[in-house]
Amino acid sequence: MTDTPIRGDATSRAPRPTAGGWLNRLDRKRGAGPFLPGHHLPAAGPSTTAVHAGTHDDARTGAVGTPIYQASTFLLNADQYGSIEEGFARDRFIYSRYGNPSQWAVQEKLAALEGAESAIVFASGMAAITATVMALVDKGAHVVASADLYGGTWNLFNQEFPTFGMSATLVDPQDFAAIEAAIRPETQLMYFEAITNPLLKIIDIPRLAEIARRHGLRLVIDATFAPPIAMRALEQGADVVVHSASKYLNGHSDLIAGVAAGPRKLIDMIWPRLLNYGGSLDPHACFLLERGLKTLAIRMRAHEESAHALARYLQGHPKVRRVFYPLLDSHPDREVARRLLKNGTGNVTFFVESDQAALQLVGALRIPKQATSLGGVESLVSLPFNTSQASYTARQRAAIGIHPGCVRLSVGIEDAADLIADFEQALAQISPAKEATHA
């Protein structure tokens, strides 16, 4: 721990001198949660945690598993009225935008998986990102963030921030001297992604955390590409971790959701932004997310097995120029990956001869579906030049390493042999072949 005051948090050192300011007293003692009562899972392995944490059998009917509480409002009594008056409404059921039993159940599972005191689910990943960032900065704030950002986050910092009199400096996430040089007196937050898209750089979160602590900054990590089976960003030094839960956490390409997890103190600060921005997650979507999370550990093992095998195959193919997969010895960040990752993911990025060859390839594939997103049980393939980085010029793409022929692949849980056979026939249909390297 450090005695450096946290920038942008005037109340982090002492309570505000206001009557009844329970929520504002950031140094008050907080318990974990809020979670549903009566079911606390002892310390357990990742698969057991994924299945059982936060899951509540229905006491009234005996149904196995958490019911869907499809309700917008709840009965009020003196306890609820008091919670509103004294500022702890987050810990009571009042109205589903404030909290719902379905939300609390899946939040408990997410918090357990991340090793967090508390978690909040949102209606999208961008809702989680926006609420988290805006809760942790103040008027005139400056943020140091990665230059390799998800497009929606890039838009938040470059389009929305200026309208609030705020600013952001985007830097190479692996240039720690540049990161430190970008910090200004008005800097209040550092924001980075655990694994970047599409080049799969593995970011050294402990080094970022050391910089943040030394300068009195908070560190937010978007770990969408590195779910808690692969990495617990909070254990690496992040203050808050956010995810697009639409991806690996849910794993079935059938809902949009987001999550923020971390210390109860900080999640309590983020919760009012959820209320103000209205990004609450519907109870049925909470049920689907909790169901998807139950298989997270076994899905991640299957993603790694198939992706690693396919990456090795692609690396040896004469029509593939280069392959990025964190568990390959050829990956430039392999040593950081060994230190931080406990499980691989399904993300593989590789390069063929040209964008035209890449178009031929994805058109010839039979198993992977051409679609954006990632982390589902089915393999998805897309080309950054006409999807995620389509708004960039060719020069801008090249500047961040996205050269012609870049293919982004999210490997599902299909059998590796089937995927390899599919890529074998698809690669045979493109030309020209990569020139042989001569000694």
Side-chain angles (χ1 to χ4, degrees):
M1 298 297 291
T2 177
D3 292 329
T4 304
I6 299 296
R7 300 192 191 184
D9 182 7
T11 60
S12 65
R13 308 284 288 177
R16 288 182 183 173
T18 55
W22 186 91
L23 188 62
N24 291 330
R25 292 201 307 273
L26 299 180
D27 63 342
R28 66 173 171 80
K29 183 163 180 64
R30 291 165 163 80
F35 304 137
L36 294 174
H39 175 68
H40 298 289
L41 185 71
S47 288
T48 305
T49 300
V51 172
H52 292 289
T55 297
H56 292 258
D57 302 334
D58 184 23
R60 177 168 293 183
T61 66
V64 175
T66 311
I68 303 172
Y69 291 87
Q70 198 70 48
S72 62
T73 193
F74 299 86
L75 297 174
L76 296 176
N77 56 36
D79 190 31
Q80 274 86 350
Y81 290 129
S83 74
I84 296 170
E85 180 180 352
E86 296 179 29
F88 57 94
R90 188 184 172 212
D91 292 74
R92 298 292 184 271
F93 297 123
I94 297 170
Y95 189 66
S96 278
R97 182 162 61 87
Y98 287 63
N100 177 290
S102 296
Q103 294 168 1
W104 282 25
V106 73
Q107 287 168 179
E108 182 174 356
K109 190 182 295 289
L110 287 162
L113 286 165
E114 285 288 3
E117 288 183 340
S118 188
I120 308 178
V121 288
F122 296 81
S124 70
M126 273 312 303
I129 291 166
T130 302
T132 298
V133 169
M134 297 305 289
L136 300 180
V137 297
D138 206 347
K139 183 178 180 180
H142 173 257
V143 172
V144 175
S146 173
D148 299 55
L149 281 177
Y150 170 64
T153 313
W154 191 96
N155 291 338
L156 172 65
F157 289 141
N158 289 278
Q159 297 176 4
E160 299 299 323
F161 255 42
T163 68
F164 294 104
M166 301 176 183
S167 61
T169 299
L170 307 187
V171 295
D172 182 338
Q174 295 177 318
D175 187 340
F176 299 101
I179 292 168
E180 196 141 12
I183 295 171
R184 308 174 185 171
E186 65 270 26
T187 304
Q188 297 177 5
L189 189 71
M190 291 170 54
Y191 185 100
F192 290 83
E193 296 178 359
I195 303 178
T196 69
N197 171 41
L199 297 182
L200 307 180
K201 299 175 184 176
I202 311 301
I203 305 308
D204 195 335
I205 298 173
R207 288 194 66 177
L208 294 177
E210 189 278 327
I211 294 172
R213 284 194 299 270
R214 189 153 31 83
H215 290 274
L217 306 175
R218 290 198 173 103
L219 174 63
V220 175
I221 294 293
D222 180 339
T224 297
F225 275 60
I229 302 303
M231 175 198 295
R232 281 178 157 188
L234 298 174
E235 291 179 355
Q236 303 299 335
D239 292 292
V240 177
V241 59
V242 296
H243 293 264
S244 170
S246 320
K247 313 301 194 295
Y248 283 111
L249 295 180
N250 178 57
H252 292 79
S253 303
D254 57 7
L255 68 84
I256 301 295
V259 61
R264 176 70 194 261
K265 165 186 169 178
L266 297 184
I267 302 303
D268 277 353
M269 292 170 61
I270 296 166
W271 179 71
R273 298 290 178 165
L274 165 66
L275 304 189
N276 294 342
Y277 300 155
S280 58
L281 190 62
D282 177 79
H284 188 257
C286 292
F287 163 79
L288 290 174
L289 178 55
E290 189 199 350
R291 185 181 66 171
L293 283 164
K294 290 179 180 181
T295 59
L296 178 63
I298 59 171
R299 283 190 287 105
M300 292 309 301
R301 290 194 288 270
H303 284 303
E304 178 191 308
E305 180 180 353
S306 292
H308 199 176
L310 182 58
R312 287 195 298 264
Y313 163 78
L314 291 170
Q315 186 169 241
H317 197 284
K319 290 184 180 178
V320 176
R321 300 169 67 88
R322 191 170 185 187
V323 178
F324 290 90
Y325 184 67
L327 300 188
L328 292 177
D329 288 337
S330 60
H331 193 285
D333 304 325
R334 183 67 181 97
E335 291 307 313
V336 180
R338 284 193 178 101
R339 179 158 44 90
L340 299 188
L341 293 181
K342 295 178 285 188
N343 195 101
T345 72
N347 296 98
V348 179
T349 297
F350 63 97
F351 291 80
V352 291
E353 186 71 20
S354 64
D355 286 338
Q356 184 59 38
L359 286 166
Q360 292 174 339
L361 172 67
V362 298
L365 288 168
R366 297 165 181 162
I367 294 177
K369 303 175 186 295
Q370 290 189 60
T372 59
S373 198
L374 59 113
V377 292
E378 64 287 296
S379 292
L380 302 177
V381 64
S382 62
L383 307 180
F385 92 91
N386 64 7
T387 55
S388 55
Q389 275 79 27
S391 62
Y392 289 36
T393 66
R395 179 177 294 181
Q396 287 172 324
R397 286 194 292 270
I400 58 174
I402 303 175
H403 301 290
C406 183
V407 179
R408 190 188 90 162
L409 177 64
S410 172
V411 178
I413 64 170
E414 301 97 342
D415 293 303
D418 294 329
L419 289 168
I420 290 170
D422 191 22
F423 273 87
E424 179 75 20
Q425 65 81 25
L427 284 163
Q429 300 184 47
I430 70 172
S431 59
K434 180 173 65 177
E435 293 183 6
T437 301
H438 301 286

